[in-house]
Amino acid sequence: MPRPIKKAVFPVAGLGTRFLPATKAMPKEMLTVVDRPVIQLAVDEARDAGIEHFVFVTGRNKSVIEDHFDKQYELEDTLRARGKSEALAELEKDLPGAGQTSFTRQQEPKGLGHAVWCARDIVGDEPFALLLPDMVMHARPGCLKQMMDVYNQRGGNGIAVEEVPWEHVHRYGVVGAKDWKDNAFTIDGMVEKPPRDKAPSNLIISGRYILQPEIFGEIEKQKPGAGGEIQITDAMIRLMAAQDFWGVKYKGTTYDCGDKVGFLSANVALALERPDIGPDFRAALKKILS
Ligand code: G1P
């Protein structure tokens, strides 16, 4: 049985320049899909997959993320006084337990690999999950849970992938796949943001990873890659020489909430599914589109 995965890393230091002015004073991870912040959706997914410790790599301007995962006494008192026990219970349910969160800062925007490396002491010498909160993975069971099922069989390192149109591959990390078994496969190549004709497939690295702690040593050796940033993909390519990497074409839909169209689509899709507002929203949408 592979070593259990109890910690997840959430890189949340990005500036959110694509959402200005909304993200001038507010972290992009606090933008909401209906009424849940994007970061909360990623934490929900991790918790459902058995994660017990949530490690946030933050930056300046991000302290409300820490507040979001804390108690809010004044609010809770007011809800209690007004008899709003349902809302209170919801808040309670979302809150990680005492000591189950850690926050560290990436002091400079040096890339995703560097952000992950900033969590090395908190993660320690154990395998961990990495979730990029911008990517909202709408799936049941959740994407990370689907990955855990494969990890428990195969161990090693894993990446969730999805197929995108070939004209979009240059925006993402891309993997090469062989030896498919159901929806899992062995990764035999990886490249970060390749031009279309250099991409090994149209299976993109979609924002959920399971990594062994040796990745930190590989990141340390890493020189800046695509975009002048220290890329996690480059460190994974090095680690691939020594360890197994598998991919999972997970069952679900990804919304890239770092992008306006993806963000708006996530809001529409998740609102339509909600029993409390779905029917009203569908009627409103019909009117807008008519
Ligand atoms: C990062 C990863 C890339 C992955 C993408 C998913 O890129 O480096 O491999 O496909 O996230 O969103 P970024 O979006 O930070 O440029």
Side-chain angles (χ1 to χ4, degrees), residues 30-104:
M30 292 302 293
L31 292 171
T32 55
V33 176
V34 191
D35 49 12
R36 291 181 91 67
V38 163
I39 185 65
Q40 179 78 58
L41 294 173
V43 165
D44 293 345
E45 181 187 330
R47 187 197 280 119
D48 289 347
I51 296 298
E52 293 173 2
H53 195 107
F54 307 87
V55 184
F56 301 87
V57 182
T58 74
R60 288 173 290 282
N61 246 347
K62 301 281 183 167
S63 47
V64 299
I65 296 179
E66 202 163 338
D67 294 339
H68 180 75
F69 292 107
D70 194 4
K71 280 191 174 291
Q72 236 282 31
Y73 281 108
E74 198 180 348
L75 173 68
E76 290 170 21
D77 271 358
T78 309
L79 290 174
R80 207 167 288 118
R82 294 184 183 164
K84 303 228 181 241
S85 50
E86 221 172 278
L88 205 54
E90 280 293 314
L91 289 181
E92 196 68 31
K93 182 168 71 64
D94 291 343
L95 193 66
Q100 287 190 313
T101 53
S102 294
F103 296 84
T104 187

Side-chain angles (χ1 to χ4, degrees), residues 96-115:
Q100 287 190 313
T101 53
S102 294
F103 296 84
T104 187
R105 281 194 182 194
Q106 183 187 25
Q107 295 156 326
E108 295 169 84
K110 286 186 170 175
L112 179 58
H114 179 260

Side-chain angles (χ1 to χ4, degrees), residues 18 112 132 134-135 171-174 191-193 204-207 209 229 231-233 236 256:
R18 280 188 281 178
L112 179 58
L132 311 187
D134 275 357
M135 301 301 263
R171 299 183 191 167
Y172 299 99
V174 180
V191 48
E192 183 64 17
K193 305 201 173 73
I204 63 142
I205 299 174
S206 65
Y209 311 70
E229 298 191 331
Q231 300 288 347
I232 190 79
T233 307
M236 292 194 299
D256 182 354

Side-chain angles (χ1 to χ4, degrees), residues 137 139 141-144 146-147 150 154 158-164 175 177 179-187 201-206 208 246-254:
M137 319 290 249
C143 178
L144 189 61
Q146 294 182 36
M147 292 175 76
V150 180
R154 299 179 65 141
I159 297 175
V161 304
E162 69 171 288
E163 241 173 305
V164 297
V175 303
D179 302 334
W180 283 85
K181 205 167 157 251
D182 300 324
N183 61 336
F185 57 87
T186 301
I187 293 179
S201 74
N202 61 341
L203 296 170
I204 63 142
I205 299 174
S206 65
R208 302 292 182 267
W246 44 265
V248 174
K249 200 171 154 197
Y250 87 102
K251 296 186 179 78
T253 311
T254 303

